[in-house]
């Protein structure tokens, strides 16, 4: 039974939302028929204190009670004013038309749509016609004449307040749901942007470094081809090795982006500090003399921090290859201690002021450092030494 009632209420509400005018006309027509039927049948005389009221006045009051109901939602106060005047005349003449109870619907709409202050004075004003009618035609006690009617009005007002509260609560839930959807979409967008930034950083580190090495080897090979073919062959071999390494790392990164092969991607580890020797050897093969010093052991350093240090060293050496000039040398120093790890890459190259112009590499290094609450300093060294220095510290 409860399900059937709920379905019926939902159907009525849906119909009211789709065609409010049709619903208002049907409801008003129903009460007009009921009110005029009571007058035509003479039923109002059964309880009226004054049965000699003129019929034209009875019909006028009946119309004032029923017809304005059509505008109860659009003009609730105007409808209330018309009906309140009709109720006052109804009490003064002693007709006591039961059509005055239609005011309950108007009071319900006032409670549901207008401020509480308006509801309060509307309720209080309804007591005036009741008092006037009881004083002109005293029948029974106040408890029998005024109090029950005022209680009925109070119940109608409370029902309107309850429906309004329910509607406001439902509207707040809908608004909250929409807000949560917006926040979810924003979080997804932020996560997507963060992932794009991470991928762009990885692509820059992988492709930028290896392409710089390949470019340097190709330039050196073309220069040595005429004088020393065997050196040119060595350069081509180094180019092939570096290219294959770049392809391997690029495929590993792309595998992470493929949903159909997440397990295969997880099997390929990211570079660690144990791979620094291989990185430095590759840079040396590209023609940049590099010295390195390592103090301490990286065993206790988490994998994420190891990757950050590796990428910073890689980017610093790549910048030296790009901008340091043909006579540049580099020195890499990594120190592991109780306070963290410190990596310093110093070179003797020229063009130090140009290295910060592109911004992408240094920005990537700073982003990686910020992920682990570290510090990074990058800039040219003072003359006459010259060159460039990158210093990283991760706690």
């Amino acid at each position: 039974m409860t399900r059937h009632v709920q379905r019926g209420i939902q159907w009525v509400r849906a119909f009211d939302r789709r065609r409010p005018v049709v619903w208002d006309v049907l409801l008003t027509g129903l009460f007009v028929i009921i009110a005029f039927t009571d007058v035509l049948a003479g039923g109002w005389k059964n309880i009226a204190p004054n049965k000699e009221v003129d019929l034209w006045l009875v019909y006028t009051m009946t119309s004032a009670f029923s017809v304005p109901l059509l505008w109860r939602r659009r003009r609730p106060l105007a409808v209330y004013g018309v009906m309140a005047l009709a109720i006052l005349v109804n009490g003064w003449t002693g007709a006591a038309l039961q059509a005055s109870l239609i005011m309950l619907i108007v009071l319900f709409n006032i409670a549901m749509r207008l401020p509480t202050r308006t509801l309060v004075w509307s309720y209080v004003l309804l007591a005036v016609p009741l008092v006037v009618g009881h004083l002109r035609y005293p029948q029974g006690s106040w408890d029998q004449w005024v109090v029950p009617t005022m209680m009925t009005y109070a119940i109608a007002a409370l029902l309107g307040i309850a429906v309004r509260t329910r509607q406001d609560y439902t509207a707040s839930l809908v608004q909250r749901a929409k807000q949560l959807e917006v926040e979810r979409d924003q979080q997804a967008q932020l996560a997507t942007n963060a992932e794009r930034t991470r991928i762009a950083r990885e692509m820059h580190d992988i492709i930028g470094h290896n392409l710089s090495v390949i470019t340097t080897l190709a330039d050196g090979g073309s220069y040595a081809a005429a004088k020393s073919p065997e050196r040119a062959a060595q350069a081509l071999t180094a180019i092939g090795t570096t290219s294959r390494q770049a392809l391997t790392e690029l495929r590993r990164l792309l595998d992470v982006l493929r949903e159909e092969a997440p397990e295969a991607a997880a099997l390929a580890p990211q570079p660690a500090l144990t791979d620094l020797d291989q990185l430095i050897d590759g840079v040396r093969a590209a023609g940049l003399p590099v010295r390195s010093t390592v103090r301490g052991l990286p065993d206790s350093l988490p994998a994420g921090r190891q990757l950050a240090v590796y990428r910073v060293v890689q980017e610093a050496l790549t910048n030296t290859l790009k901008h340091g000039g043909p006579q540049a040398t580099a020195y890499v120093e990594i120190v592991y201690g109780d306070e963290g790890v410190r990596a310093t890459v110093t070179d003797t190259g020229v063009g130090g002021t140009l290295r910060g112009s592109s911004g992408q590499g240094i920005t990537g290094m700073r982003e990686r450092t910020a992920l682990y609450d570290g510090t990074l300093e990058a800039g040219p060294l003072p003359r006459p030494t010259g060159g460039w220095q990158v210093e990283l510290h991760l706690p």
Side-chain angles (χ1 to χ4, degrees), residues 178-197:
K178 292 180 179 179
Q179 183 179 355
L180 289 176
E181 289 181 0
V182 172
E183 292 177 356
R184 180 199 62 192
D185 295 339
Q186 290 177 346
Q187 291 295 331
Q189 185 65 33
L190 290 175
T192 301
N193 292 337
E195 185 64 14
R196 287 177 177 174
T197 302

Side-chain angles (χ1 to χ4, degrees), residues 65-349:
F65 285 136
S66 57
V67 175
L69 198 62
L70 183 64
W71 297 277
R72 73 189 188 281
R73 289 194 281 196
R74 287 171 289 177
R75 299 288 188 272
L77 287 181
V79 174
Y80 172 86
V82 173
M83 289 192 179
L85 182 60
I87 290 178
L88 181 60
V89 175
N90 188 41
W92 181 265
T93 59
L97 297 177
Q98 296 187 65
S100 61
L101 294 176
I102 299 177
M103 174 60 81
L104 295 173
I105 300 178
V106 179
L107 192 63
F108 174 85
N109 279 269
I110 291 176
M112 192 169 62
R113 291 179 171 84
L114 298 182
T116 306
R117 181 181 300 177
T118 304
L119 172 64
V120 171
W121 66 256
S122 299
Y123 177 79
V124 172
L125 287 179
L126 289 177
V128 175
L130 297 176
V131 174
V132 170
H134 182 70
L135 292 176
R136 278 186 57 85
Y137 301 97
Q139 292 181 354
S141 64
W142 288 86
D143 294 342
Q144 296 175 342
W145 185 263
V146 178
V147 175
T149 306
M150 295 302 295
M151 289 293 293
T152 305
Y153 287 149
I155 292 173
L158 290 175
L159 286 176
I161 293 174
V163 173
R164 179 177 184 172
T165 304
R166 180 67 178 176
Q167 289 179 347
D168 292 343
Y169 178 69
T170 304
S172 66
L173 290 180
V174 172
Q175 181 63 28
R176 178 60 178 166
K178 292 180 179 179
Q179 183 179 355
L180 289 176
E181 289 181 0
V182 172
E183 292 177 356
R184 180 199 62 192
D185 295 339
Q186 290 177 346
Q187 291 295 331
Q189 185 65 33
L190 290 175
T192 301
N193 292 337
E195 185 64 14
R196 287 177 177 174
T197 302
R198 186 189 70 82
I199 293 171
R201 189 166 56 234
E202 291 290 338
M203 295 286 286
H204 175 271
D205 291 341
I206 294 172
I207 298 178
H209 169 74
N210 288 288
L211 286 181
S212 298
V213 173
I214 291 172
T215 301
T216 305
L217 290 172
D219 292 340
S222 63
Y223 177 78
K227 297 182 180 181
S228 179
E230 64 276 5
R231 294 294 300 274
Q234 293 176 1
L236 290 175
T237 302
I239 288 174
T241 302
T242 305
S243 300
R244 283 189 290 273
Q245 291 176 352
L247 279 175
T248 300
E249 293 191 16
L250 185 59
R251 284 170 180 168
R252 178 198 309 164
L253 182 61
L254 294 178
D255 284 341
V256 175
L257 304 180
R258 294 174 184 167
E259 297 181 358
E260 64 271 13
E263 296 180 358
L267 296 177
Q270 290 278 19
L273 292 178
T274 54
D275 301 315
L276 272 179
D277 291 338
Q278 183 180 356
L279 171 67
I280 293 174
D281 290 340
V283 175
R284 287 172 181 159
L288 176 65
V290 182
R291 295 182 298 112
S292 63
T293 301
V294 178
R295 297 188 179 95
L297 298 175
D299 298 338
S300 60
L301 198 65
R305 285 176 166 77
Q306 292 194 35
L307 177 62
V309 175
Y310 180 93
R311 292 302 189 197
V312 168
V313 174
Q314 182 186 53
E315 181 62 30
L317 294 177
T318 301
N319 286 339
T320 303
L321 278 173
K322 289 180 180 178
H323 310 291
Q327 303 300 324
T329 61
Y331 175 65
V332 179
E333 182 183 23
I334 299 179
V335 180
Y336 305 99
D338 295 337
E339 296 181 355
V341 58
R342 186 178 300 276
T344 306
V345 181
T346 309
D347 66 56
T348 60

Side-chain angles (χ1 to χ4, degrees), residues 344-373:
T344 306
V345 181
T346 309
D347 66 56
T348 60
V350 296
T353 56
L354 300 176
R355 303 191 196 184
S357 59
S358 63
Q360 184 72 13
I362 295 180
T363 301
M365 288 192 288
R366 294 191 187 281
E367 289 176 351
R368 289 185 181 278
T369 305
L371 287 176
Y372 300 102
D373 298 326

